[in-house]
Structures are given as structure tokens and as C-alpha cells.
Amino acid sequence: GGVDHALELFERVAKMDTPLKGYARLQQALAQTRLGKQREALLIYDAVLSGEPAPEVRLAALAGKAENLLELGAKGPDEALIQQAQALYETLAADEAVTPAWRGQALAGKGRCLELLQRPEEALAAYYDVLQDGVTQPEEYFWFYKAGFDAGRLCEKRAEWKSAIGIYQKIAAQSGPRSEEARARAEQLRLEHFIWE
């Protein structure tokens, strides 16, 4: 009953004409997503985006809607839903209010969409864009590592060992919480495939 009660409280806040309205709707959508009700969450995100939300609410709604579309599309699989998610990620990445963390999330999501659409070259390009941006704030690490390890995995899947090693080295050079993991993976690939350059 806790989730239902929380949804009721968010609904009360959302019905008030306050700056918290958009945030309450976002929390409702997140709760629906966690309950596995992606279609209900999509309706809430659409309602948020149909108004004039604050920039940070708009970015969160775009990202949330894209994630739900991607999840539904991957289950199907439904190519049309995945393409819709990709388009939203591209919109998010190009938004004038986008921060580096939101951009990283958008490009990593776009890469995932492109992988599911069997377009590995374009997926790698999206992941590389995140790596090129680098990390300037702690909140950017998650998407930097997500894109980096996904790019490395994709290169390994294609037996592109030197490219995978290069990606892991780039991740390791950005001293952060997973840099040692990336360094170890690069070393393991060198040993397994006799690459010493």
C-alpha cells in the first residue's frame, strides 16, 4: 500500500498550481515504471511534456519517456518503439538546456537503441561521443562508464581487440571509481590476444 499512498500524495501535489507540480508528475511516472507499468508512465511523461515544464523537469521527462519506450521496445521486440526512443534521446542530447550528465545519458541511450536496431557502427559512434566529452563532475561518471563499457563490449563482440583495448585505456585514464576495472580488462585482452602495442 506504500506505493499507492505515495502515488496519491504525488497526485495531490500535481493538482496544485505550484512549481512542484512537474516534479510530482515525474515521481508518479518513476513509480509506475518501477511497478512495471511503462505505458502508464508514458502517459504521465506526455502530460508533463505537453505543458511548459521547467528545463530540468523537461530533460527528466524526455529521458524517462525514452527509457520506457526503449524498455517496451526491447521486450517486444518492437522496432518502432526503439526508433521513438532513439529520436527522444537525440532530442535530449541536442536540447539547449542539456547538461553534460543529461547528454551522456542521452547518447548512451541512443547507443543502446542503435545496438538493438542492429546498427553497431552508429552505436559505437554514440558511445564514443560520451567518451570524447569526458567527465568534469562526479554525476557524469555513471554514463561515461556505461557508454565506455558498452562500447568495449561491442568491440569485443566484433573481435576488434585493439579498439576494445583503446576504449578501456581511455576509461582507465579518467581516474574514477571504475578506472582500475577498465585497466584490468585492457590488460586481460592484451594477454589473451597477444597485443603488446
Side-chain angles (χ1 to χ4, degrees):
V3 174
D4 290 333
H5 182 63
L7 285 170
E8 286 175 28
L9 292 174
F10 289 132
E11 183 63 26
R12 280 192 218 161
V13 174
K15 286 183 178 177
M16 297 178 195
D17 192 22
T18 70
L20 296 177
K21 179 179 180 172
Y23 295 99
R25 289 282 183 226
L26 288 177
Q27 291 304 315
Q28 286 178 313
L30 286 171
Q32 296 292 5
T33 299
R34 289 188 183 124
L35 292 171
K37 298 179 179 180
Q38 282 79 21
R39 296 203 184 275
E40 288 86 344
L42 287 171
L43 292 173
I44 296 169
Y45 286 126
D46 283 338
V48 171
L49 292 168
S50 69
E52 293 182 16
E56 62 271 11
V57 173
R58 184 182 69 254
L59 296 174
L62 285 170
K65 183 175 179 180
E67 287 168 19
N68 279 274
L69 285 169
L70 178 56
E71 192 170 328
L72 286 171
K75 283 180 187 174
D78 186 329
E79 192 172 301
L81 290 176
I82 296 169
Q83 288 172 339
Q84 288 177 42
Q86 178 194 339
L88 282 173
Y89 282 128
E90 289 170 353
T91 299
L92 177 59
D95 193 286
E96 62 187 26
V98 76
T99 64
W102 282 118
R103 180 173 156 74
Q105 180 177 356
L107 292 171
K110 177 183 174 182
R112 179 72 179 122
C113 291
L114 291 165
E115 275 195 73
L116 289 171
L117 294 169
Q118 304 299 314
R119 292 158 55 189
E121 293 298 329
E122 293 173 69
L124 278 172
Y127 294 143
Y128 285 148
D129 284 345
V130 181
L131 295 176
Q132 288 302 111
D133 289 347
V135 178
T136 58
Q137 300 293 322
E139 63 268 15
E140 297 165 29
Y141 273 116
F142 180 83
W143 297 109
F144 177 81
Y145 286 129
K146 175 83 174 115
F149 281 99
D150 282 351
R153 174 191 44 78
L154 189 53
C155 286
E156 287 186 54
K157 185 177 175 182
R158 295 162 47 130
E160 296 171 352
W161 310 119
K162 288 184 180 181
S163 294
I165 291 167
I167 289 167
Y168 293 130
Q169 286 176 325
K170 185 161 184 66
I171 298 170
Q174 186 81 47
S175 57
R178 294 184 70 188
S179 60
E180 280 304 315
E181 179 184 349
R183 191 173 288 109
R185 186 66 189 144
E187 189 61 28
Q188 182 179 358
L189 288 177
R190 283 183 193 285
L191 293 171
E192 288 176 359
H193 300 284
F194 306 103
I195 298 170
W196 309 110
E197 299 173 9

mmCIF file of all heavy atoms in Angstrom, residues 81-131:
data_model
loop_
_atom_site.group_PDB
_atom_site.id
_atom_site.type_symbol
_atom_site.label_atom_id
_atom_site.label_comp_id
_atom_site.label_asym_id
_atom_site.label_seq_id
_atom_site.Cartn_x
_atom_site.Cartn_y
_atom_site.Cartn_z
ATOM 1 N N LEU A 81 9.032 1.289 -31.500
ATOM 2 C CA LEU A 81 9.214 1.872 -30.169
ATOM 3 C C LEU A 81 10.680 2.222 -29.919
ATOM 4 O O LEU A 81 10.988 3.258 -29.325
ATOM 5 C CB LEU A 81 8.706 0.926 -29.085
ATOM 6 C CG LEU A 81 7.189 0.734 -29.004
ATOM 7 C CD1 LEU A 81 6.840 -0.301 -27.938
ATOM 8 C CD2 LEU A 81 6.489 2.047 -28.729
ATOM 9 N N ILE A 82 11.574 1.363 -30.380
ATOM 10 C CA ILE A 82 13.007 1.632 -30.212
ATOM 11 C C ILE A 82 13.400 2.870 -31.006
ATOM 12 O O ILE A 82 14.172 3.709 -30.526
ATOM 13 C CB ILE A 82 13.841 0.401 -30.634
ATOM 14 C CG1 ILE A 82 13.531 -0.790 -29.713
ATOM 15 C CG2 ILE A 82 15.333 0.724 -30.591
ATOM 16 C CD1 ILE A 82 14.083 -2.114 -30.186
ATOM 17 N N GLN A 83 12.856 3.018 -32.206
ATOM 18 C CA GLN A 83 13.148 4.210 -33.008
ATOM 19 C C GLN A 83 12.593 5.477 -32.360
ATOM 20 O O GLN A 83 13.227 6.535 -32.404
ATOM 21 C CB GLN A 83 12.573 4.039 -34.420
ATOM 22 C CG GLN A 83 13.348 3.041 -35.243
ATOM 23 C CD GLN A 83 12.682 2.723 -36.561
ATOM 24 O OE1 GLN A 83 11.478 2.917 -36.744
ATOM 25 N NE2 GLN A 83 13.469 2.203 -37.512
ATOM 26 N N GLN A 84 11.431 5.372 -31.718
ATOM 27 C CA GLN A 84 10.883 6.521 -30.995
ATOM 28 C C GLN A 84 11.799 6.902 -29.831
ATOM 29 O O GLN A 84 12.037 8.090 -29.581
ATOM 30 C CB GLN A 84 9.483 6.205 -30.454
ATOM 31 C CG GLN A 84 8.403 6.139 -31.509
ATOM 32 C CD GLN A 84 7.062 5.753 -30.889
ATOM 33 O OE1 GLN A 84 6.706 6.242 -29.827
ATOM 34 N NE2 GLN A 84 6.338 4.868 -31.557
ATOM 35 N N ALA A 85 12.291 5.888 -29.127
ATOM 36 C CA ALA A 85 13.215 6.142 -28.018
ATOM 37 C C ALA A 85 14.476 6.815 -28.530
ATOM 38 O O ALA A 85 14.960 7.794 -27.938
ATOM 39 C CB ALA A 85 13.556 4.831 -27.305
ATOM 40 N N GLN A 86 15.001 6.325 -29.644
ATOM 41 C CA GLN A 86 16.204 6.921 -30.231
ATOM 42 C C GLN A 86 15.982 8.395 -30.567
ATOM 43 O O GLN A 86 16.823 9.243 -30.275
ATOM 44 C CB GLN A 86 16.604 6.149 -31.488
ATOM 45 C CG GLN A 86 17.814 6.742 -32.186
ATOM 46 C CD GLN A 86 18.009 6.189 -33.592
ATOM 47 O OE1 GLN A 86 17.511 5.118 -33.919
ATOM 48 N NE2 GLN A 86 18.727 6.921 -34.418
ATOM 49 N N ALA A 87 14.840 8.690 -31.167
ATOM 50 C CA ALA A 87 14.531 10.081 -31.531
ATOM 51 C C ALA A 87 14.459 10.970 -30.287
ATOM 52 O O ALA A 87 14.947 12.113 -30.301
ATOM 53 C CB ALA A 87 13.219 10.144 -32.302
ATOM 54 N N LEU A 88 13.884 10.449 -29.211
ATOM 55 C CA LEU A 88 13.818 11.233 -27.968
ATOM 56 C C LEU A 88 15.204 11.454 -27.377
ATOM 57 O O LEU A 88 15.511 12.544 -26.875
ATOM 58 C CB LEU A 88 12.915 10.548 -26.949
ATOM 59 C CG LEU A 88 11.426 10.717 -27.164
ATOM 60 C CD1 LEU A 88 10.636 9.850 -26.192
ATOM 61 C CD2 LEU A 88 11.020 12.169 -27.007
ATOM 62 N N TYR A 89 16.049 10.425 -27.415
ATOM 63 C CA TYR A 89 17.420 10.586 -26.919
ATOM 64 C C TYR A 89 18.169 11.640 -27.736
ATOM 65 O O TYR A 89 18.923 12.437 -27.179
ATOM 66 C CB TYR A 89 18.176 9.259 -26.948
ATOM 67 C CG TYR A 89 17.823 8.325 -25.819
ATOM 68 C CD1 TYR A 89 17.448 7.007 -26.055
ATOM 69 C CD2 TYR A 89 17.895 8.749 -24.483
ATOM 70 C CE1 TYR A 89 17.141 6.143 -25.017
ATOM 71 C CE2 TYR A 89 17.586 7.881 -23.443
ATOM 72 C CZ TYR A 89 17.214 6.580 -23.718
ATOM 73 O OH TYR A 89 16.916 5.721 -22.676
ATOM 74 N N GLU A 90 17.951 11.651 -29.038
ATOM 75 C CA GLU A 90 18.589 12.660 -29.880
ATOM 76 C C GLU A 90 18.081 14.059 -29.540
ATOM 77 O O GLU A 90 18.861 15.010 -29.489
ATOM 78 C CB GLU A 90 18.346 12.332 -31.362
ATOM 79 C CG GLU A 90 19.122 11.123 -31.829
ATOM 80 C CD GLU A 90 18.730 10.641 -33.211
ATOM 81 O OE1 GLU A 90 17.745 11.162 -33.791
ATOM 82 O OE2 GLU A 90 19.409 9.734 -33.734
ATOM 83 N N THR A 91 16.787 14.168 -29.282
ATOM 84 C CA THR A 91 16.209 15.453 -28.866
ATOM 85 C C THR A 91 16.817 15.908 -27.553
ATOM 86 O O THR A 91 17.178 17.084 -27.394
ATOM 87 C CB THR A 91 14.664 15.321 -28.729
ATOM 88 O OG1 THR A 91 14.130 14.958 -29.997
ATOM 89 C CG2 THR A 91 14.046 16.619 -28.249
ATOM 90 N N LEU A 92 16.938 14.987 -26.615
ATOM 91 C CA LEU A 92 17.521 15.306 -25.313
ATOM 92 C C LEU A 92 18.971 15.759 -25.456
ATOM 93 O O LEU A 92 19.379 16.771 -24.879
ATOM 94 C CB LEU A 92 17.436 14.085 -24.386
ATOM 95 C CG LEU A 92 18.050 14.207 -23.003
ATOM 96 C CD1 LEU A 92 17.415 15.335 -22.207
ATOM 97 C CD2 LEU A 92 17.915 12.879 -22.251
ATOM 98 N N ALA A 93 19.756 15.042 -26.254
ATOM 99 C CA ALA A 93 21.174 15.387 -26.431
ATOM 100 C C ALA A 93 21.349 16.765 -27.053
ATOM 101 O O ALA A 93 22.330 17.463 -26.769
ATOM 102 C CB ALA A 93 21.876 14.330 -27.287
ATOM 103 N N ALA A 94 20.395 17.176 -27.882
ATOM 104 C CA ALA A 94 20.501 18.462 -28.582
ATOM 105 C C ALA A 94 19.791 19.603 -27.857
ATOM 106 O O ALA A 94 19.855 20.748 -28.310
ATOM 107 C CB ALA A 94 19.927 18.322 -29.992
ATOM 108 N N ASP A 95 19.134 19.321 -26.748
ATOM 109 C CA ASP A 95 18.373 20.351 -26.035
ATOM 110 C C ASP A 95 19.299 21.470 -25.575
ATOM 111 O O ASP A 95 20.421 21.217 -25.129
ATOM 112 C CB ASP A 95 17.662 19.724 -24.826
ATOM 113 C CG ASP A 95 16.621 20.641 -24.230
ATOM 114 O OD1 ASP A 95 17.007 21.622 -23.561
ATOM 115 O OD2 ASP A 95 15.421 20.388 -24.443
ATOM 116 N N GLU A 96 18.832 22.694 -25.662
ATOM 117 C CA GLU A 96 19.666 23.846 -25.299
ATOM 118 C C GLU A 96 19.991 23.893 -23.805
ATOM 119 O O GLU A 96 20.985 24.487 -23.407
ATOM 120 C CB GLU A 96 18.989 25.143 -25.726
ATOM 121 C CG GLU A 96 17.649 25.384 -25.052
ATOM 122 C CD GLU A 96 16.909 26.585 -25.606
ATOM 123 O OE1 GLU A 96 17.125 26.946 -26.775
ATOM 124 O OE2 GLU A 96 16.105 27.153 -24.848
ATOM 125 N N ALA A 97 19.172 23.248 -22.977
ATOM 126 C CA ALA A 97 19.405 23.264 -21.532
ATOM 127 C C ALA A 97 20.176 22.035 -21.045
ATOM 128 O O ALA A 97 20.389 21.872 -19.845
ATOM 129 C CB ALA A 97 18.071 23.352 -20.792
ATOM 130 N N VAL A 98 20.602 21.185 -21.972
ATOM 131 C CA VAL A 98 21.223 19.917 -21.572
ATOM 132 C C VAL A 98 22.538 20.148 -20.826
ATOM 133 O O VAL A 98 23.341 21.012 -21.185
ATOM 134 C CB VAL A 98 21.418 18.989 -22.799
ATOM 135 C CG1 VAL A 98 22.583 19.430 -23.661
ATOM 136 C CG2 VAL A 98 21.590 17.545 -22.371
ATOM 137 N N THR A 99 22.711 19.382 -19.762
ATOM 138 C CA THR A 99 23.963 19.391 -19.005
ATOM 139 C C THR A 99 24.804 18.209 -19.488
ATOM 140 O O THR A 99 24.284 17.305 -20.151
ATOM 141 C CB THR A 99 23.691 19.236 -17.502
ATOM 142 O OG1 THR A 99 23.092 17.942 -17.284
ATOM 143 C CG2 THR A 99 22.772 20.332 -16.975
ATOM 144 N N PRO A 100 26.103 18.181 -19.156
ATOM 145 C CA PRO A 100 26.914 17.035 -19.582
ATOM 146 C C PRO A 100 26.372 15.684 -19.102
ATOM 147 O O PRO A 100 26.424 14.698 -19.837
ATOM 148 C CB PRO A 100 28.282 17.334 -18.975
ATOM 149 C CG PRO A 100 28.336 18.829 -18.907
ATOM 150 C CD PRO A 100 26.925 19.234 -18.556
ATOM 151 N N ALA A 101 25.828 15.634 -17.889
ATOM 152 C CA ALA A 101 25.289 14.371 -17.388
ATOM 153 C C ALA A 101 24.067 13.925 -18.200
ATOM 154 O O ALA A 101 23.955 12.753 -18.568
ATOM 155 C CB ALA A 101 24.929 14.496 -15.913
ATOM 156 N N TRP A 102 23.155 14.847 -18.498
ATOM 157 C CA TRP A 102 21.989 14.510 -19.321
ATOM 158 C C TRP A 102 22.428 14.127 -20.729
ATOM 159 O O TRP A 102 21.869 13.211 -21.336
ATOM 160 C CB TRP A 102 21.010 15.677 -19.396
ATOM 161 C CG TRP A 102 20.160 15.847 -18.170
ATOM 162 C CD1 TRP A 102 20.147 16.929 -17.337
ATOM 163 C CD2 TRP A 102 19.206 14.926 -17.635
ATOM 164 N NE1 TRP A 102 19.240 16.716 -16.325
ATOM 165 C CE2 TRP A 102 18.649 15.504 -16.487
ATOM 166 C CE3 TRP A 102 18.764 13.666 -18.022
ATOM 167 C CZ2 TRP A 102 17.671 14.874 -15.714
ATOM 168 C CZ3 TRP A 102 17.799 13.033 -17.255
ATOM 169 C CH2 TRP A 102 17.266 13.635 -16.119
ATOM 170 N N ARG A 103 23.412 14.818 -21.261
ATOM 171 C CA ARG A 103 23.904 14.498 -22.607
ATOM 172 C C ARG A 103 24.510 13.092 -22.630
ATOM 173 O O ARG A 103 24.269 12.317 -23.554
ATOM 174 C CB ARG A 103 24.936 15.538 -23.055
ATOM 175 C CG ARG A 103 25.507 15.288 -24.432
ATOM 176 C CD ARG A 103 26.403 16.448 -24.897
ATOM 177 N NE ARG A 103 27.362 16.036 -25.887
ATOM 178 C CZ ARG A 103 27.077 15.771 -27.167
ATOM 179 N NH1 ARG A 103 25.843 15.894 -27.602
ATOM 180 N NH2 ARG A 103 28.018 15.397 -28.009
ATOM 181 N N GLY A 104 25.280 12.769 -21.596
ATOM 182 C CA GLY A 104 25.850 11.429 -21.506
ATOM 183 C C GLY A 104 24.775 10.362 -21.463
ATOM 184 O O GLY A 104 24.869 9.327 -22.135
ATOM 185 N N GLN A 105 23.727 10.610 -20.676
ATOM 186 C CA GLN A 105 22.623 9.659 -20.596
ATOM 187 C C GLN A 105 21.940 9.517 -21.958
ATOM 188 O O GLN A 105 21.634 8.405 -22.393
ATOM 189 C CB GLN A 105 21.607 10.095 -19.551
ATOM 190 C CG GLN A 105 20.432 9.146 -19.427
ATOM 191 C CD GLN A 105 19.464 9.531 -18.334
ATOM 192 O OE1 GLN A 105 19.682 10.482 -17.582
ATOM 193 N NE2 GLN A 105 18.383 8.783 -18.223
ATOM 194 N N ALA A 106 21.722 10.639 -22.625
ATOM 195 C CA ALA A 106 21.047 10.611 -23.924
ATOM 196 C C ALA A 106 21.860 9.843 -24.960
ATOM 197 O O ALA A 106 21.326 9.010 -25.694
ATOM 198 C CB ALA A 106 20.786 12.034 -24.403
ATOM 199 N N LEU A 107 23.154 10.099 -25.018
ATOM 200 C CA LEU A 107 23.991 9.427 -26.015
ATOM 201 C C LEU A 107 24.166 7.945 -25.703
ATOM 202 O O LEU A 107 24.195 7.110 -26.618
ATOM 203 C CB LEU A 107 25.342 10.133 -26.128
ATOM 204 C CG LEU A 107 25.273 11.545 -26.723
ATOM 205 C CD1 LEU A 107 26.617 12.244 -26.604
ATOM 206 C CD2 LEU A 107 24.799 11.510 -28.172
ATOM 207 N N ALA A 108 24.277 7.601 -24.424
ATOM 208 C CA ALA A 108 24.366 6.184 -24.050
ATOM 209 C C ALA A 108 23.070 5.468 -24.405
ATOM 210 O O ALA A 108 23.082 4.343 -24.920
ATOM 211 C CB ALA A 108 24.684 6.048 -22.563
ATOM 212 N N GLY A 109 21.935 6.118 -24.150
ATOM 213 C CA GLY A 109 20.644 5.535 -24.514
ATOM 214 C C GLY A 109 20.496 5.383 -26.016
ATOM 215 O O GLY A 109 20.003 4.371 -26.508
ATOM 216 N N LYS A 110 20.936 6.392 -26.739
ATOM 217 C CA LYS A 110 20.895 6.325 -28.209
ATOM 218 C C LYS A 110 21.733 5.149 -28.697
ATOM 219 O O LYS A 110 21.320 4.403 -29.590
ATOM 220 C CB LYS A 110 21.418 7.629 -28.797
ATOM 221 C CG LYS A 110 21.490 7.644 -30.306
ATOM 222 C CD LYS A 110 22.085 8.948 -30.823
ATOM 223 C CE LYS A 110 22.297 8.915 -32.323
ATOM 224 N NZ LYS A 110 22.916 10.148 -32.827
ATOM 225 N N GLY A 111 22.910 4.961 -28.106
ATOM 226 C CA GLY A 111 23.763 3.835 -28.481
ATOM 227 C C GLY A 111 23.076 2.500 -28.256
ATOM 228 O O GLY A 111 23.135 1.596 -29.096
ATOM 229 N N ARG A 112 22.387 2.385 -27.125
ATOM 230 C CA ARG A 112 21.668 1.145 -26.817
ATOM 231 C C ARG A 112 20.564 0.900 -27.852
ATOM 232 O O ARG A 112 20.373 -0.218 -28.323
ATOM 233 C CB ARG A 112 21.085 1.223 -25.405
ATOM 234 C CG ARG A 112 20.311 0.013 -24.987
ATOM 235 C CD ARG A 112 21.225 -1.176 -24.713
ATOM 236 N NE ARG A 112 20.410 -2.299 -24.289
ATOM 237 C CZ ARG A 112 20.382 -3.461 -24.901
ATOM 238 N NH1 ARG A 112 21.158 -3.678 -25.944
ATOM 239 N NH2 ARG A 112 19.620 -4.436 -24.478
ATOM 240 N N CYS A 113 19.842 1.959 -28.213
ATOM 241 C CA CYS A 113 18.802 1.833 -29.245
ATOM 242 C C CYS A 113 19.400 1.336 -30.559
ATOM 243 O O CYS A 113 18.862 0.423 -31.192
ATOM 244 C CB CYS A 113 18.120 3.180 -29.486
ATOM 245 S SG CYS A 113 17.099 3.780 -28.133
ATOM 246 N N LEU A 114 20.503 1.940 -30.942
ATOM 247 C CA LEU A 114 21.132 1.575 -32.211
ATOM 248 C C LEU A 114 21.651 0.142 -32.190
ATOM 249 O O LEU A 114 21.615 -0.557 -33.205
ATOM 250 C CB LEU A 114 22.244 2.568 -32.537
ATOM 251 C CG LEU A 114 21.735 3.972 -32.896
ATOM 252 C CD1 LEU A 114 22.868 4.986 -32.836
ATOM 253 C CD2 LEU A 114 21.068 3.966 -34.264
ATOM 254 N N GLU A 115 22.124 -0.310 -31.033
ATOM 255 C CA GLU A 115 22.525 -1.721 -30.930
ATOM 256 C C GLU A 115 21.336 -2.634 -31.169
ATOM 257 O O GLU A 115 21.431 -3.614 -31.908
ATOM 258 C CB GLU A 115 23.110 -2.014 -29.540
ATOM 259 C CG GLU A 115 24.569 -1.712 -29.402
ATOM 260 C CD GLU A 115 25.146 -2.344 -28.162
ATOM 261 O OE1 GLU A 115 25.316 -3.594 -28.147
ATOM 262 O OE2 GLU A 115 25.423 -1.607 -27.202
ATOM 263 N N LEU A 116 20.211 -2.316 -30.532
ATOM 264 C CA LEU A 116 19.016 -3.146 -30.691
ATOM 265 C C LEU A 116 18.489 -3.117 -32.119
ATOM 266 O O LEU A 116 17.868 -4.075 -32.570
ATOM 267 C CB LEU A 116 17.926 -2.684 -29.720
ATOM 268 C CG LEU A 116 18.189 -2.986 -28.247
ATOM 269 C CD1 LEU A 116 17.161 -2.301 -27.363
ATOM 270 C CD2 LEU A 116 18.189 -4.491 -27.989
ATOM 271 N N LEU A 117 18.748 -2.020 -32.815
ATOM 272 C CA LEU A 117 18.326 -1.897 -34.217
ATOM 273 C C LEU A 117 19.357 -2.504 -35.178
ATOM 274 O O LEU A 117 19.251 -2.340 -36.390
ATOM 275 C CB LEU A 117 18.083 -0.425 -34.573
ATOM 276 C CG LEU A 117 16.905 0.239 -33.852
ATOM 277 C CD1 LEU A 117 16.917 1.750 -34.070
ATOM 278 C CD2 LEU A 117 15.577 -0.370 -34.303
ATOM 279 N N GLN A 118 20.366 -3.181 -34.620
ATOM 280 C CA GLN A 118 21.404 -3.840 -35.414
ATOM 281 C C GLN A 118 22.208 -2.854 -36.250
ATOM 282 O O GLN A 118 22.506 -3.108 -37.423
ATOM 283 C CB GLN A 118 20.797 -4.928 -36.313
ATOM 284 C CG GLN A 118 19.995 -5.978 -35.566
ATOM 285 C CD GLN A 118 20.821 -6.739 -34.547
ATOM 286 O OE1 GLN A 118 21.928 -7.166 -34.837
ATOM 287 N NE2 GLN A 118 20.303 -6.892 -33.341
ATOM 288 N N ARG A 119 22.556 -1.716 -35.632
ATOM 289 C CA ARG A 119 23.370 -0.706 -36.302
ATOM 290 C C ARG A 119 24.601 -0.425 -35.432
ATOM 291 O O ARG A 119 24.723 0.637 -34.821
ATOM 292 C CB ARG A 119 22.530 0.551 -36.531
ATOM 293 C CG ARG A 119 21.425 0.298 -37.549
ATOM 294 C CD ARG A 119 20.256 1.239 -37.492
ATOM 295 N NE ARG A 119 20.577 2.642 -37.583
ATOM 296 C CZ ARG A 119 19.681 3.603 -37.382
ATOM 297 N NH1 ARG A 119 18.426 3.302 -37.099
ATOM 298 N NH2 ARG A 119 20.024 4.866 -37.466
ATOM 299 N N PRO A 120 25.513 -1.414 -35.351
ATOM 300 C CA PRO A 120 26.629 -1.329 -34.411
ATOM 301 C C PRO A 120 27.591 -0.162 -34.656
ATOM 302 O O PRO A 120 28.120 0.408 -33.694
ATOM 303 C CB PRO A 120 27.346 -2.675 -34.558
ATOM 304 C CG PRO A 120 26.919 -3.198 -35.885
ATOM 305 C CD PRO A 120 25.548 -2.659 -36.123
ATOM 306 N N GLU A 121 27.836 0.201 -35.908
ATOM 307 C CA GLU A 121 28.755 1.318 -36.181
ATOM 308 C C GLU A 121 28.222 2.617 -35.601
ATOM 309 O O GLU A 121 28.957 3.403 -34.998
ATOM 310 C CB GLU A 121 28.996 1.466 -37.692
ATOM 311 C CG GLU A 121 29.747 0.324 -38.321
ATOM 312 C CD GLU A 121 31.158 0.147 -37.774
ATOM 313 O OE1 GLU A 121 31.780 1.156 -37.386
ATOM 314 O OE2 GLU A 121 31.626 -1.005 -37.718
ATOM 315 N N GLU A 122 26.926 2.844 -35.796
ATOM 316 C CA GLU A 122 26.306 4.063 -35.271
ATOM 317 C C GLU A 122 26.237 4.026 -33.749
ATOM 318 O O GLU A 122 26.379 5.055 -33.091
ATOM 319 C CB GLU A 122 24.907 4.246 -35.858
ATOM 320 C CG GLU A 122 24.909 4.534 -37.349
ATOM 321 C CD GLU A 122 23.507 4.538 -37.921
ATOM 322 O OE1 GLU A 122 22.748 5.467 -37.596
ATOM 323 O OE2 GLU A 122 23.176 3.603 -38.676
ATOM 324 N N ALA A 123 26.016 2.828 -33.195
ATOM 325 C CA ALA A 123 26.004 2.680 -31.731
ATOM 326 C C ALA A 123 27.362 3.048 -31.163
ATOM 327 O O ALA A 123 27.459 3.799 -30.170
ATOM 328 C CB ALA A 123 25.628 1.251 -31.347
ATOM 329 N N LEU A 124 28.421 2.541 -31.784
ATOM 330 C CA LEU A 124 29.776 2.872 -31.322
ATOM 331 C C LEU A 124 30.029 4.375 -31.404
ATOM 332 O O LEU A 124 30.635 4.956 -30.492
ATOM 333 C CB LEU A 124 30.825 2.121 -32.152
ATOM 334 C CG LEU A 124 31.092 0.683 -31.742
ATOM 335 C CD1 LEU A 124 32.008 0.002 -32.758
ATOM 336 C CD2 LEU A 124 31.684 0.607 -30.348
ATOM 337 N N ALA A 125 29.549 5.002 -32.457
ATOM 338 C CA ALA A 125 29.737 6.455 -32.604
ATOM 339 C C ALA A 125 29.062 7.208 -31.459
ATOM 340 O O ALA A 125 29.617 8.166 -30.912
ATOM 341 C CB ALA A 125 29.200 6.932 -33.949
ATOM 342 N N ALA A 126 27.867 6.767 -31.063
ATOM 343 C CA ALA A 126 27.160 7.419 -29.950
ATOM 344 C C ALA A 126 27.931 7.215 -28.650
ATOM 345 O O ALA A 126 28.100 8.156 -27.860
ATOM 346 C CB ALA A 126 25.744 6.860 -29.826
ATOM 347 N N TYR A 127 28.417 6.001 -28.422
ATOM 348 C CA TYR A 127 29.204 5.731 -27.211
ATOM 349 C C TYR A 127 30.492 6.556 -27.208
ATOM 350 O O TYR A 127 30.891 7.102 -26.179
ATOM 351 C CB TYR A 127 29.541 4.242 -27.103
ATOM 352 C CG TYR A 127 28.353 3.332 -26.901
ATOM 353 C CD1 TYR A 127 28.305 2.075 -27.505
ATOM 354 C CD2 TYR A 127 27.276 3.701 -26.098
ATOM 355 C CE1 TYR A 127 27.233 1.220 -27.317
ATOM 356 C CE2 TYR A 127 26.193 2.849 -25.916
ATOM 357 C CZ TYR A 127 26.184 1.606 -26.522
ATOM 358 O OH TYR A 127 25.121 0.766 -26.334
ATOM 359 N N TYR A 128 31.158 6.633 -28.353
ATOM 360 C CA TYR A 128 32.397 7.408 -28.456
ATOM 361 C C TYR A 128 32.165 8.882 -28.134
ATOM 362 O O TYR A 128 33.021 9.535 -27.545
ATOM 363 C CB TYR A 128 33.003 7.299 -29.861
ATOM 364 C CG TYR A 128 33.689 5.992 -30.181
ATOM 365 C CD1 TYR A 128 33.678 5.487 -31.477
ATOM 366 C CD2 TYR A 128 34.354 5.260 -29.212
ATOM 367 C CE1 TYR A 128 34.301 4.290 -31.797
ATOM 368 C CE2 TYR A 128 34.977 4.058 -29.512
ATOM 369 C CZ TYR A 128 34.948 3.578 -30.797
ATOM 370 O OH TYR A 128 35.566 2.394 -31.110
ATOM 371 N N ASP A 129 30.995 9.405 -28.529
ATOM 372 C CA ASP A 129 30.684 10.804 -28.223
ATOM 373 C C ASP A 129 30.697 11.051 -26.716
ATOM 374 O O ASP A 129 31.165 12.089 -26.259
ATOM 375 C CB ASP A 129 29.331 11.205 -28.814
ATOM 376 C CG ASP A 129 29.381 11.433 -30.313
ATOM 377 O OD1 ASP A 129 30.498 11.562 -30.863
ATOM 378 O OD2 ASP A 129 28.307 11.479 -30.940
ATOM 379 N N VAL A 130 30.191 10.095 -25.950
ATOM 380 C CA VAL A 130 30.209 10.232 -24.485
ATOM 381 C C VAL A 130 31.649 10.216 -23.991
ATOM 382 O O VAL A 130 32.041 11.030 -23.141
ATOM 383 C CB VAL A 130 29.394 9.117 -23.796
ATOM 384 C CG1 VAL A 130 29.419 9.293 -22.274
ATOM 385 C CG2 VAL A 130 27.961 9.096 -24.305
ATOM 386 N N LEU A 131 32.447 9.298 -24.533
ATOM 387 C CA LEU A 131 33.849 9.199 -24.106
ATOM 388 C C LEU A 131 34.627 10.455 -24.472
ATOM 389 O O LEU A 131 35.491 10.903 -23.710
ATOM 390 C CB LEU A 131 34.500 7.961 -24.720
ATOM 391 C CG LEU A 131 33.919 6.620 -24.262
ATOM 392 C CD1 LEU A 131 34.592 5.470 -25.011
ATOM 393 C CD2 LEU A 131 34.069 6.445 -22.768
#
